[in-house]
Amino acid sequence: MDNETLKKLFKAGAILLVLDAPQNQLEFGIDVNCWNTGPRFKGIKIIPPGAHFVYYSLHNTKSTQANPDDEAKADGTLEVIEGGTTGGDVRIGFWHQFESGEVVVMKWNAYNENMELEKDVDQIARYKAGIQEFDPFLGPYPLLPPEATYPAWIKLANHITQKTISRLFPEDGFVDSYDDQLEAELSRATKIIDREQKEEKEKAEKERLQQSAQQVRSTNTIQEEDETAMETDSTDDQHAAPSAKDISKRPKSAMEHISVKFTPIDLRSSFRKGAVGEEVTRYSLDKSWLLNNLFSTVYKSDVSAFLGEYQSAFVTMLLSYHLGAFRQWKTMTILVCQSTEATSSSNYTSLFSEFIQTLLHQLTSIPSSFFMDLLFASPDQDDMTANFLEQALRVMGRNIQSGLRRGQCLELRKPMHALQKAVQESFEWKIPGDFKKIQKVVEVTNEMGLASDEDDDYEEEGEYAPVIVQ
């Protein structure tokens, strides 16, 4: 690349300054690029305008060796490690919509052992005025072959906008692998423990009173027993599990955990309020009512708004190991794949087409081993016995095949064929349906009026099993 091109890229791209980073102890990444920082590292330059995810993880020692063939590694700026899916114990990151020529400043706080964003406008302006001094210490964003990763990132985040970031993530909110749902689980567990302990104490007190009634004791003896019981209760309280109220009073860590504001989606309640009988059963099996309700009210019929959240959940899961993001990605995947009526509706052709292409990029942009580990080691109990993604894709395949038999959703043939081929090669999963041609087959429906075919061997179990109303 000639100097003139480099100057243009430097001017158009954004810059992320990372100051006072601990030497040889920091894994640092942006998008699907992940490095171990060298002693001269002070940030990243030539960041393409748009949405990016920046993250880091603190290490005690270096985990990789520098490759002297790489200029960035040789000058002590960066040491490249594999992709954005390895390394790090607890990753902390944030979303940011970078503008052309923008300078974002992060500073390491040694006391808290956390990165903090510089918010002083005047201070940022001073850094920007002297940005040329930092140039030798900035690693370039991988834009050009053979290390180019930007095309892959675009496919993973092309629907994510500033509006998406602002809606889902608090301003300058750092996200880590902490899961706010665990706090709710802990609170629920402590309430159960408190209730059980209370019941045990009441039972013990009742037995004590019954024994007291059967014996003749002096007043002093009774008083002594009461005092002993009070001491025992006090001792028991010291060893009792902490209540939710106690937990809330504990001092918070230096870095405040941020709750991501994903759209609440309840797959077990996928029918309208007041629905009864056949309608409940129908839309427990077919998530179309729920998809339509969410798409029209929350996402304002904007395909990019829906897919922007879907992509945000996936990337946040991938790069910060956030379990809540995994749950949202899983839920949105099942929601779309199981929306039978919507599959054949012209109102949702664009959504399904873009969704299939987005999922295809997600499944093929990272190692297949990542997905296999994720799917079969999920924190959700139902995932321990079943691969939800393979099952969901089979359902969507049958739905689209049924639509094609009726001459509908023809635009989905090509993207679905690509997805079918990709999952067969990468995971050896079989998605039913022939998407190379339209088969003229008479449509067969079951007693609920839903599409049926010979490959209909999928049954939901566990958390997402449908509600059947007789």
Side-chain angles (χ1 to χ4, degrees), residues 116-135:
E116 297 177 350
L117 288 173
E118 176 63 66
K119 297 182 180 181
D120 188 309
V121 177
D122 294 336
Q123 185 69 5
I124 294 175
R126 283 191 286 271
Y127 281 120
K128 187 172 183 178
I131 198 64
Q132 291 293 342
E133 299 178 7
F134 291 95
D135 185 50

Side-chain angles (χ1 to χ4, degrees), residues 293-454:
N293 183 56
L294 290 169
F295 191 62
S296 59
T297 59
V298 176
Y299 303 102
K300 309 301 181 184
S301 300
D302 185 346
V303 172
S304 284
F306 181 90
L307 293 178
E309 178 168 349
Y310 185 64
Q311 290 180 332
S312 297
F314 177 81
V315 173
T316 304
M317 166 195 74
L318 176 69
L319 300 181
S320 70
Y321 314 141
H322 192 282
L323 295 182
F326 166 71
R327 292 191 186 96
Q328 187 70 4
W329 175 76
K330 169 185 174 180
T331 299
M332 296 182 76
T333 299
I334 294 174
L335 172 66
V336 176
C337 289
Q338 292 187 6
S339 293
T340 306
E341 289 181 2
T343 304
S344 300
S345 172
S346 59
N347 295 330
Y348 291 97
T349 299
S350 178
L351 173 62
F352 274 89
S353 179
E354 291 291 332
F355 170 82
I356 293 170
Q357 294 178 65
T358 296
L359 183 57
L360 173 62
H361 295 318
Q362 292 174 349
L363 294 177
T364 57
S365 295
I366 60 177
S368 59
S369 59
F370 173 85
F371 273 101
M372 301 310 293
D373 291 342
L374 178 70
L375 295 172
F376 291 108
S378 166
D380 294 329
Q381 184 178 359
D382 58 315
D383 288 342
M384 298 302 292
T385 57
N387 181 338
F388 85 89
L389 182 56
E390 180 182 9
Q391 293 181 354
L393 294 178
R394 289 171 63 83
V395 172
M396 183 170 66
R398 288 194 294 272
N399 289 341
I400 294 177
Q401 180 69 20
S402 296
L404 293 175
R405 290 173 177 173
R406 297 189 297 269
Q408 300 170 328
C409 58
L410 301 181
E411 297 88 342
L412 302 184
R413 288 171 55 208
K414 184 175 181 180
M416 195 63 197
H417 176 63
L419 179 62
Q420 183 185 50
K421 182 179 179 181
V423 299
Q424 174 66 37
E425 294 176 351
S426 298
F427 308 103
E428 297 183 354
W429 298 345
K430 181 182 178 182
I431 299 179
D434 183 359
F435 303 107
K436 294 181 180 179
K437 59 182 179 180
I438 303 175
Q439 298 178 351
K440 295 183 179 179
V441 179
V442 177
E443 179 66 28
V444 178
T445 58
N446 58 27
E447 60 182 7
M448 295 305 304
L450 300 176
S452 175
D453 63 42
E454 296 177 355

Side-chain angles (χ1 to χ4, degrees), residues 166-264:
S166 299
R167 185 172 71 87
L168 300 180
F169 305 93
E171 183 179 1
D172 297 338
F174 284 82
V175 179
D176 64 10
S177 51
Y178 168 86
D179 184 4
D180 57 335
Q181 291 194 23
L182 295 180
E183 195 74 26
E185 292 292 333
L186 178 61
S187 177
R188 185 159 48 248
T190 55
K191 288 180 180 179
I192 294 174
I193 293 173
D194 289 343
R195 184 173 65 250
E196 291 178 348
Q197 290 180 339
K198 182 179 180 182
E199 292 174 352
E200 289 178 358
K201 288 182 180 180
E202 291 177 348
K203 182 180 179 180
E205 179 67 12
K206 184 177 180 180
E207 292 176 352
R208 188 185 68 80
L209 292 176
Q210 289 176 346
Q211 292 175 358
S212 298
Q214 295 173 358
Q215 300 177 7
V216 179
R217 296 184 176 89
S218 65
T219 303
N220 290 338
T221 302
I222 294 175
Q223 291 176 347
E224 290 175 0
E225 289 181 351
D226 288 342
E227 290 173 358
T228 301
M230 291 175 63
E231 291 175 358
T232 302
D233 289 345
S234 176
T235 303
D236 290 342
D237 289 340
Q238 293 176 7
H239 296 283
S243 65
K245 185 180 295 184
D246 294 331
I247 294 172
S248 65
K249 292 180 180 179
R250 291 177 179 174
K252 298 183 179 179
S253 61
M255 190 196 78
E256 191 74 20
H257 294 295
I258 301 298
S259 296
V260 184
K261 299 178 181 179
F262 289 125
T263 301

Side-chain angles (χ1 to χ4, degrees), residues 10 15-21 23 28 37-45 71-72 75-78 130-140:
F10 188 89
I15 294 176
L16 173 65
L17 291 182
V18 183
L19 306 179
D20 304 325
Q23 295 185 10
F28 188 84
T37 61
R40 288 162 51 85
F41 173 74
K42 293 188 182 299
I44 306 294
K45 61 183 176 182
E71 181 180 353
D75 67 6
T77 304
L78 297 169
I131 198 64
Q132 291 293 342
E133 299 178 7
F134 291 95
D135 185 50
F137 310 102
L138 302 177

